[in-house]
């Protein structure tokens, strides 16, 4: 029962208090830690304008995802999850995000998943992010949409029994094959760009279904009072980012250092080109 899973390797942790966390805090929302950061977006927006002027258009959301992916590469403990009271290190980086098919109350939503292989250039990842958004807005029916459609045609008692069976199999054995590469909640991080629809970022819960240990909500960019280095108060375009993290995968110090690195990439996006 101590074997690896299809998407991750089992991590043997030291026999200290942290090793008890999966038993003391059984669910992700029992162990969620919330972080809030307000980031100066001026350097980021200037970088976007420079790229646009140079004929290489890039969006705020692309840079945000690329910075997150870079951090997950450099801080691998964030790319872990708990299943069956055991800790697993993912073999790849999977980032999921919601894309609206059209900006209206009636416009449906779909989830886009981007898988990043080890050593893959970030420019290739950026192209696939753009392709995933374009496909979603084009109304393409994805595999997860088809699976949800099948589930929702089942009688309620059948669906409840099936989901319970899947959870049990997932806990003791592995992810069922028909969910592999299809379920968007089996990811390293889930990102919600709420600023794109003009609202602030909330603290979001973690999903007990799947294996996602990190949820990032991004608010709208807006002018905000800002204290400069010389003590003066000025208006700066700022963006608020809220993170929800399963603390069983990494300690607080590791998470704080990782958040500092993420902020550094957003303050100087040119670092992502290295």
């Amino acid at each position: 029962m101590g074997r690896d899973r299809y998407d991750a390797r089992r991590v043997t942790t030291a026999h200290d208090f942290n090793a008890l966390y999966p038993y003391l805090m059984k669910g992700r929302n029992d162990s969620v830690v919330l972080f809030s950061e307000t980031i100066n977006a001026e350097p980021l927006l200037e970088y976007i304008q420079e790229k646009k002027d140079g004929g290489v258009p890039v969006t705020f959301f692309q840079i945000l995802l690329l910075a997150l992916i870079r951090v997950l590469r450099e801080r691998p403990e964030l790319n872990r999850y708990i299943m069956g009271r055991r800790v697993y290190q993912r073999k790849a980086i999977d980032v999921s995000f919601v894309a609206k098919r059209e900006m209206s109350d009636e416009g449906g939503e779909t989830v886009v998943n981007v898988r990043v292989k080890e050593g893959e250039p970030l420019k290739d990842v950026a192209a696939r992010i753009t392709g995933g958004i374009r496909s979603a807005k084009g109304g393409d029916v994805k595999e997860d949409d088809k699976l949800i459609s099948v589930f929702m045609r089942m009688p309620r008692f059948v669906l409840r029994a099936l989901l319970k069976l899947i959870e049990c199999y997932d806990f003791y054995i592995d992810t069922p094959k028909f969910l592999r590469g299809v379920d968007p909640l089996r990811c390293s991080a889930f990102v919600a760009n709420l600023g794109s629809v003009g609202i602030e970022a909330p603290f979001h819960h973690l999903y007990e279904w799947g294996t996602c240990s990190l949820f990032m909500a991004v608010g709208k960019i807006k002018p905000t009072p800002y204290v400069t280095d010389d003590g003066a108060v000025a208006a700066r375009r700022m963006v608020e980012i809220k993170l929800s993290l399963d603390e069983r995968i990494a300690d607080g110090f590791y998470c704080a250092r990782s958040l500092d690195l993420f902020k550094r990439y957003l303050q100087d996006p040119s670092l992502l080109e290295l």
Side-chain angles (χ1 to χ4, degrees), residues 220-233:
K220 62 182 180 180
I221 299 173
K222 62 179 182 178
T224 307
Y226 178 83
V227 180
T228 62
D229 293 338
D230 59 3
V233 177

Side-chain angles (χ1 to χ4, degrees), residues 118-132:
E118 187 173 350
E120 183 178 10
L122 288 184
K123 64 178 182 179
D124 294 347
V125 180
R128 287 197 288 111
I129 291 170
T130 302

Side-chain angles (χ1 to χ4, degrees), residues 27-203:
R28 294 191 183 93
N29 290 298
D30 290 340
S31 52
V32 66
V33 176
L34 306 173
F35 296 88
S36 177
E37 282 292 338
T38 301
I39 296 174
N40 182 5
E42 294 287 353
L44 180 54
L45 296 175
E46 291 171 3
Y47 176 84
I48 292 172
Q49 187 60 50
E50 289 175 5
K51 285 294 183 181
K52 182 179 178 181
D53 294 341
V56 186
V58 64
T59 67
F60 166 76
F61 190 57
Q62 280 181 329
I63 295 175
L64 187 86
L65 290 180
L66 292 177
L68 176 60
I69 289 166
R70 185 70 170 266
V71 171
L72 289 170
R73 275 182 172 173
E74 298 181 22
R75 309 288 288 173
E77 285 188 29
L78 292 184
N79 198 22
R80 291 180 174 181
Y81 66 83
I82 306 293
M83 182 57 71
R85 310 282 185 263
R86 291 168 177 165
V87 183
Y88 293 91
Q89 179 71 51
R90 296 181 188 277
K91 299 174 183 176
I93 296 172
D94 288 277
V95 177
S96 296
F97 56 91
V98 174
K100 279 190 74 68
R101 299 191 188 277
E102 61 177 78
M103 290 300 177
S104 68
D105 289 345
E106 295 76 25
E109 292 182 340
T110 187
V111 179
V112 178
N113 180 268
V114 176
R115 166 159 288 193
V116 184
K117 298 176 182 177
E118 187 173 350
E120 183 178 10
L122 288 184
K123 64 178 182 179
D124 294 347
V125 180
R128 287 197 288 111
I129 291 170
T130 302
I133 295 173
R134 186 180 298 116
S135 175
K137 291 183 178 297
D140 294 350
V141 179
K142 308 194 325 302
E143 292 303 315
D144 59 312
D145 296 325
K146 295 177 184 177
L147 184 61
I148 291 172
S149 179
V150 171
F151 278 172
M152 297 313 297
R153 286 199 294 267
M154 296 179 180
R156 285 180 297 173
F157 75 94
V158 174
L159 181 57
R160 288 183 62 190
L162 175 61
L163 294 180
K164 198 69 179 177
L165 181 62
I166 291 173
E167 288 176 346
C168 186
Y169 188 92
D170 209 8
F171 186 95
Y172 289 105
I173 303 176
D174 204 342
T175 301
K177 289 186 179 180
F178 72 93
L179 289 177
R180 299 178 185 181
V182 175
D183 186 353
L185 291 178
R186 297 176 190 277
C187 61
S188 309
F190 200 106
V191 183
N193 183 19
L194 299 175
S196 64
V197 292
I199 61 177
E200 298 291 354
F203 284 114

